[in-house]
Amino acid sequence: MTRDQASRRRRTARRLRAASAGMATGLLFTGLLVAPAQARPRTDTSTGPRAPIGTAARTVGDARFEPGPCPKTPEPIEVLKKARCGTLTVPENRAEPGGRTIRLGVAIVPAATDKPKPDPIVWLAGGPGDDAVGEAKMAIDGGLNRDRDVVLMSQRGTYSADPTLLCPNIDEFNARAVGLVSDAPSTERLHVEATKACRDRLAARGIDLAAYNDTESAADYEDLRAALGVKQWNLFGISYGTHLALVYMRLHPEGLRSVGLDGILPPSRSGSAATWSSARQGFDGLFKACAAQPACNKRYPNLSATFDRLVRQLEAKPVTTTVTLPGSDKPVKVVLDGGALVNWMTSATHVAPQVPRALDELAHGKPQRIAQQWAGGKLGPQAVGRVAHGLVYGVFCSEWTPYESQAEALKGGQETFPAFPRSVQAQAPQLAFLRPDCAVWDVPAAAPSIRDATSGDIPTLALSGGFDSQTGADNGPYVARTLSKAKVVTVPYQPHVVIATSKCAQEIAVSFFDDPAAPKTACLSGLKPPQFEIGP
């Protein structure tokens, strides 16, 4: 046995002991406990040179990489034309030796230079439930392949994996729900029925829903590293991908040179209460930026108070309107209540220059701009059949809801937005009806260690946006508390996932991988707030 294999087995034994200890102290599990992914002896069956990576078949332990066609994507992606592609086959549940296997699509976009560095960058997608291969353009537009290959693998259950855990019926219900009162008991009933229908359909296909979680996914990526013959690589995770990255760092640190986190979602504090906190930070950042611009402040004074008042008014008396979406002449009914406005605002920080004017229009009886944006996000072609809800609930229902009570979730809303009605506070942004959904999804709780803060000395870049209302900027300093070589950077005036919108953030990220000890942040000093739209 090699030193590396012995080290892996010792860590696995410690994790299994921790799981048993959790049961002994009275933690309740629904169903059987899913044991953390176990390392297996690695047997290399390949021969000859293995460079560039992704050109040779290779088996390591229970995992096998095979070169082949590039994974499917909803639309053609130009940067994948030059990619080296294939599939990784791994166990569905590593606690069941000899059980089902699953196939994960892999695409490796080559470095732009003729002499790439030996340590590639692995892109971890957002979501949960988004497909990394489908985000290839974002990764390459961000400059990550300047000096290194960029590795993209479909996380288990996602669009280009086999099996997929998509739930188009949930997407279709979410589209119809723009015409319903968002937090009505009837809406909750229909939402949970859609969730259960998908759960039953996936289970009937023999899919082990308890195996779609961060512990198994982290092991998938570690198996890919070994199967590609890479000694060390770097991670770059966006949004939920940072959640997975932090778990990966804790379970498999030895293969990581450095880690970039963009739009940070720490497993140790994830849940409804933290979602409320993030919303407050992003909203306040935008409102303060408007107040600092004389023209915006004069035209839209006390924007925060206006928003709070609108939430209360709409929750008491929802506004119903109809809009026509781009590319369609069919009118769409939209109901705007307090919860809908909060959820719209959570995503509207991506179009920050429009927000003050949109809120002012709503306050003066013109809801069409907000209604069109709200409906457009639910009814657009990218909103149906792309998200792996099976992975969404696999993560949330095993790693989040078992470790946050309903009272704690409600308290998060009450403390952060005390002026909101209780009915709004009870449904955290982006997480409506999560607890009843998880009750019907019915997967066992993850081991308590899934909530451990990640610690260590892996060089880490903690990137956040000042307008991020989905994963608040305070998550950067939070994760850095236990990461001794972390660099915390907040890019002002930017929304969630700054590498997608900020040239400065892209420069910082690329320079970090050049020298993780000294990312270049000089560009921050020249950044200016957006010019807010001033209406009549």
Side-chain angles (χ1 to χ4, degrees):
M1 181 186 299
T2 68
R3 182 180 301 176
D4 180 66
Q5 291 166 351
S7 175
R8 289 174 185 273
R9 289 188 175 182
R10 286 195 297 272
R11 283 196 302 277
T12 298
R14 286 197 296 271
R15 292 198 295 273
L16 289 170
R17 287 196 296 270
S20 299
M23 296 182 71
T25 56
L27 181 65
L28 296 177
F29 290 82
T30 57
L32 298 174
L33 176 69
V34 177
Q38 300 183 38
R40 302 238 194 288
R42 300 182 182 276
T43 304
D44 184 357
T45 63
S46 66
T47 59
R50 295 189 294 269
I53 62 170
T55 57
R58 196 175 190 221
T59 298
V60 181
D62 292 332
R64 179 170 177 79
F65 174 79
E66 295 186 55
C70 285
K72 64 178 181 179
T73 57
E75 295 90 22
I77 299 177
E78 186 70 22
V79 298
L80 292 180
K81 291 182 177 180
K82 297 180 180 179
R84 303 184 296 274
C85 297
T87 57
L88 180 75
T89 302
V90 294
E92 183 178 48
N93 188 336
R94 291 173 172 82
E96 298 181 2
R100 282 170 50 116
T101 60
I102 60 177
R103 289 161 58 88
L104 310 176
V106 179
I108 303 167
V109 179
T113 180
D114 292 334
K115 296 181 179 180
K117 302 291 176 60
D119 48 293
I121 296 172
V122 182
W123 178 270
L124 301 181
D130 294 345
D131 193 315
V133 180
E135 294 178 349
K137 185 177 186 300
M138 190 192 311
I140 304 311
D141 285 352
L144 295 184
N145 74 323
R146 189 191 70 183
D147 302 307
R148 291 172 169 82
D149 291 351
V150 172
V151 179
L152 307 113
M153 181 171 75
S154 53
Q155 193 178 346
R156 52 177 51 211
T158 59
Y159 187 89
S160 61
D162 181 16
T164 62
L165 273 63
L166 308 179
C167 298
N169 70 303
I170 293 178
D171 301 325
E172 290 161 359
F173 171 75
N174 289 337
R176 289 189 287 117
V178 301
L180 305 175
V181 175
S182 65
D183 55 11
S186 56
T187 304
E188 176 179 341
R189 176 178 56 80
L190 293 169
H191 194 286
V192 175
E193 285 178 359
T195 302
K196 186 176 187 303
C198 185
R199 197 259 187 223
D200 292 346
R201 178 176 58 82
L202 295 176
R205 290 164 52 194
I207 294 171
D208 182 356
L209 297 176
Y212 292 79
N213 55 56
D214 283 333
T215 302
E216 292 285 359
S217 289
D220 294 340
Y221 280 94
E222 183 64 1
D223 279 345
L224 178 64
R225 183 182 69 84
L228 292 179
V230 176
K231 181 179 180 181
Q232 274 197 326
W233 61 15
N234 310 274
L235 305 181
F236 192 87
I238 63 166
S239 191
Y240 158 73
T242 69
H243 194 283
L244 175 56
L246 288 161
V247 173
Y248 188 171
M249 292 166 70
R250 185 166 55 81
L251 297 181
H252 308 284
E254 63 279 354
L256 300 178
R257 171 182 174 264
S258 68
V259 176
L261 306 173
D262 182 357
I264 304 165
L265 188 63
S268 51
R269 73 179 338 186
S270 293
S272 295
T275 303
W276 279 117
S277 173
S278 293
R280 175 92 273 178
Q281 292 173 65
F283 298 174
D284 284 353
L286 191 155
F287 295 151
K288 289 176 182 177
C290 173
Q293 288 184 16
C296 189
N297 188 50
K298 181 178 180 180
R299 181 66 183 81
Y300 311 113
N302 302 316
L303 200 57
S304 179
T306 298
F307 175 70
D308 284 4
R309 173 170 54 81
L310 286 169
V311 171
R312 295 194 302 271
Q313 290 178 347
L314 290 175
E315 190 67 5
K317 188 177 181 180
V319 168
T320 300
T321 187
T322 58
V323 297
T324 302
L325 301 179
S328 172
D329 56 4
K330 183 179 179 180
V332 175
K333 174 188 172 184
V334 180
V335 175
L336 292 179
D337 57 16
L341 185 62
V342 170
N343 278 280
W344 166 81
M345 183 67 187
T346 303
S347 59
T349 51
H350 287 271
V351 289
Q354 300 181 37
V355 167
R357 183 176 183 178
L359 290 173
D360 184 71
E361 289 174 353
L362 179 61
H364 288 87
K366 298 178 181 179
Q368 283 73 25
R369 184 192 298 259
I370 289 178
Q372 188 173 56
Q373 291 177 356
W374 176 236
K378 302 293 185 181
L379 279 79
Q382 296 185 347
V384 178
R386 300 196 184 192
V387 172
H389 292 275
L391 179 59
V392 174
Y393 290 123
V395 173
F396 287 171
C397 301
S398 69
E399 302 176 21
W400 288 26
T401 56
Y403 298 104
E404 181 181 57
S405 69
Q406 188 169 357
E408 289 169 333
L410 176 62
K411 185 179 178 182
Q414 292 173 329
E415 291 184 343
T416 312
F417 290 94
F420 285 0
R422 183 185 175 92
S423 55
V424 175
Q425 296 166 338
Q427 303 294 343
Q430 312 169 76
L431 300 176
F433 312 127
L434 180 59
R435 300 192 74 83
D437 280 339
C438 284
V440 299
W441 202 257
D442 190 25
V443 291
S449 59
I450 199 68
R451 303 287 294 189
D452 289 350
T454 299
S455 60
D457 61 358
I458 298 172
T460 304
L461 175 65
L463 270 174
S464 300
F467 287 177
D468 189 345
S469 52
Q470 294 165 270
T471 56
D474 71 344
N475 285 329
Y478 173 82
V479 298
R481 298 172 312 131
T482 53
L483 296 170
S484 62
K485 294 183 180 178
K487 306 293 182 182
V488 178
V489 177
T490 298
V491 184
Y493 319 122
Q494 291 296 317
H496 186 54
V497 182
V498 292
I499 199 170
T501 57
S502 168
K503 290 293 184 184
C504 180
Q506 295 168 6
E507 293 172 13
I508 293 169
V510 172
S511 71
F512 167 76
F513 291 117
D514 282 345
D515 183 359
K520 298 177 181 178
T521 59
C523 60
L524 293 171
S525 62
L527 298 181
K528 297 180 180 180
Q531 198 66 36
F532 292 101
E533 293 183 12
I534 306 299

